[in-house]
Amino acid sequence: MTTPQANNSGVSPVRIAVAAVMLAILAAGAFGLWYVFLRPSGPAAVADTNLVVPSAPATSASAGGASASSGAAAGSSSAPLSGGVDGTWNVDTSLGSFSDFTDSFVGYRVQEQLANIGGNTAVGRTPDVSGSLTIAGTQVTAVTIEANLTTLKSDDNRRDGQLSRQGLETSTYPTGAFALTTPIDLGSVPADGAEIDVTASGQLTLHGQKQDVQIPLKAKLSGNTIVVSGSLEIAFADYGIAKPNSFAVLSIADTGTLELHLLFTKA
């Protein structure tokens, strides 16, 4: 049997190769430990957060998801509501900050299995939302919401880039939308500061397809602002969405969660 020759430094090439493999294994293990235990956790699900109106407007917002507002602390809107709740309320993108998700946003939450890491919750959100709701007496008579899905931002630019070509295919289907089809009965005129639970029945447009949905929502009137949040489980197949594939992603769940958090001020 031929014995591997040592190089000029007297170290066998086999030993060098073994050392390189061991370093790679240690590096991969260290990354896995960082990812699981030390990596900053993603944003909390809207279902687990309180309804809060930010006390200061955002100073800036970008389509890519970067916003810098140091004054988006929790609180209630400063001015009391005048003229009652009746009328049209518009999504107000000047309130809050995308940096801490105190602003208006629409997004997704999906479970995925990543190579060498394991389970992960992918969360992507966009602050590019528009729309309105109309209140008449004790009913919400109309709601229309539209979101620019091309600016969905997660913690990984590679994932965001894939969504333009796979999955949601935002380069082909750039917009998601919801339109109320049945009035929401509030039961009584909302009291300031009181949180209520309602269900919005309407049509959700996603990936160029429409489906009738019922979205559980929680809402609160706070001064001159209405804050609404909710989530809905989405089966990808219902909207003709093929799950994205990548060398780094072993599998993706068959369903995801649509999340929304919206701030409305009176028109």
Side-chain angles (χ1 to χ4, degrees):
M1 181 176 67
T2 302
T3 302
Q5 299 297 314
N7 58 21
N8 293 336
S9 63
V11 181
S12 166
V14 173
R15 291 183 177 179
I16 293 175
V18 170
V21 170
M22 292 300 295
L23 285 173
I25 292 173
L26 288 172
F31 177 76
L33 289 172
W34 170 84
Y35 194 94
V36 174
F37 296 108
L38 301 178
R39 182 174 180 266
S41 59
V46 295
D48 299 329
T49 57
N50 296 323
L51 292 182
V52 176
V53 176
S55 58
T59 56
S60 64
S62 71
S67 177
S69 172
S70 60
S76 62
S77 54
S78 57
L81 178 66
S82 62
V85 297
D86 282 12
T88 299
W89 297 68
N90 294 327
V91 173
D92 192 334
T93 57
S94 73
L95 298 174
S97 170
F98 193 60
S99 64
D100 58 6
F101 302 116
T102 55
D103 64 343
S104 293
F105 64 81
V106 169
Y108 67 83
R109 183 175 294 266
V110 180
Q111 290 299 121
E112 59 185 9
Q113 287 287 326
L114 301 180
N116 300 323
I117 293 173
N120 177 60
T121 301
V123 179
R125 291 171 173 175
T126 174
D128 294 337
V129 187
S130 61
S132 65
L133 64 82
T134 302
I135 299 176
T138 62
Q139 288 191 328
V140 178
T141 58
V143 178
T144 57
I145 302 297
E146 189 171 287
N148 178 5
L149 304 183
T150 66
T151 56
L152 282 167
K153 181 73 175 176
S154 71
D155 64 346
D156 194 321
N157 291 332
R158 294 171 298 178
R159 180 189 296 114
D160 303 337
Q162 288 292 334
L163 284 183
S164 69
R165 303 178 296 275
Q166 300 186 56
L168 290 174
E169 297 181 286
T170 57
S171 60
T172 303
Y173 308 103
T175 304
F178 173 82
L180 190 72
T181 55
T182 303
I184 301 172
D185 187 1
L186 303 175
S188 61
V189 176
D192 190 278
E195 183 176 313
I196 61 173
D197 296 312
V198 297
T199 299
S201 299
Q203 279 197 330
L204 177 65
T205 301
L206 195 61
H207 198 247
Q209 299 192 28
K210 293 183 178 181
Q211 295 287 339
D212 292 328
V213 297
Q214 292 186 316
I215 307 179
L217 301 170
K218 52 185 180 181
K220 181 170 67 174
L221 171 66
S222 182
N224 59 9
T225 305
I226 293 176
V227 56
V228 178
S229 71
S231 58
L232 177 71
E233 186 174 14
I234 298 291
F236 298 139
D238 289 347
Y239 295 86
I241 298 173
K243 294 184 291 185
N245 60 78
S246 167
F247 71 91
V249 181
L250 300 179
S251 66
I252 295 177
D254 294 328
T255 62
T257 301
L258 164 71
E259 294 188 316
L260 60 89
H261 178 266
L262 304 172
L263 300 166
F264 296 86
T265 52
K266 202 169 183 182

